[in-house]
């Protein structure tokens, strides 16, 4: 391997790493923004993710524990580091039918992952009530 090929390979990894870092920072910014906006009693902020062969999805759900319903949902879906969170009002509603309202398989898997987090976070509170 020549030094030019090695330099191109290293540059490619550096660019990919930079874009991955930028996506992570956007993710953290959105999570912190939603957490600040939805900071009130009886509300959970949970995330779920799904990996596919080509595309994946991440969902960010605001769950009202009293009503047992999703009040706000954001979804990041795609195959590149340029994917961004978008509001998905069709996912708002009862927790029991959340995966049925998902627009794709990846979003349904990510929503199911988020629902397991909801059940973990509310397990002790149901027994105490």
């Amino acid at each position: 391997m020549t030094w030019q090929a090695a330099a191109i390979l290293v540059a490619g990894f550096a660019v990919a790493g930079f874009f991955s870092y930028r996506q992570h920072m956007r993710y953290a910014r959105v999570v912190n923004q939603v957490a600040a906006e939805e900071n009130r009693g009886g509300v959970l902020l949970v995330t779920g993710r799904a990996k596919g062969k080509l595309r994946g999805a991440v969902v960010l759900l605001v769950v009202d524990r009293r009503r047992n319903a999703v009040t706000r949902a954001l979804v990041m879906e795609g195959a590149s580091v340029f994917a961004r969170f978008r509001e998905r009002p069709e996912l708002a509603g009862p927790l029991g039918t959340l995966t049925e309202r998902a627009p794709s398989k990846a979003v349904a898997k990510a929503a199911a992952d988020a629902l397991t987090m909801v059940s973990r976070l509310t397990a002790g509170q149901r027994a105490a009530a």
Side-chain angles (χ1 to χ4, degrees), residues 63-76:
V63 178
D64 186 346
R65 292 186 304 191
R66 291 179 219 122
R67 293 187 308 146
N68 215 22
V70 175
T71 58
R72 185 175 177 191
L74 291 95
V75 175
M76 178 171 44

Side-chain angles (χ1 to χ4, degrees), residues 11-88:
F13 280 122
V15 168
F18 172 74
F19 282 125
S20 294
Y21 175 75
R22 291 283 311 249
Q23 184 179 40
H24 172 72
M25 295 308 292
R26 277 195 308 266
Y27 172 83
R29 188 177 329 121
V30 169
V31 168
N32 289 332
Q33 178 185 0
V34 172
E37 291 171 358
E38 303 290 341
N39 186 13
R40 59 186 185 276
V43 173
L44 293 174
L45 177 63
V46 294
T47 61
R49 68 183 181 108
K51 289 185 174 184
K53 290 180 183 173
L54 298 175
R55 297 172 49 102
V58 176
V59 297
L60 183 61
L61 302 175
V62 177
V63 178
D64 186 346
R65 292 186 304 191
R66 291 179 219 122
R67 293 187 308 146
N68 215 22
V70 175
T71 58
R72 185 175 177 191
L74 291 95
V75 175
M76 178 171 44
E77 185 176 20
S80 76
V81 293
F82 300 111
R84 296 193 182 243
F85 276 106
R86 289 176 174 47
E87 293 277 347
R88 298 305 286 260

Side-chain angles (χ1 to χ4, degrees), residues 16 20 31 77 90 94 103-104 106 121 125:
S20 294
V31 168
E77 185 176 20
E90 67 269 14
S104 69
L121 292 173
Q125 293 155 357

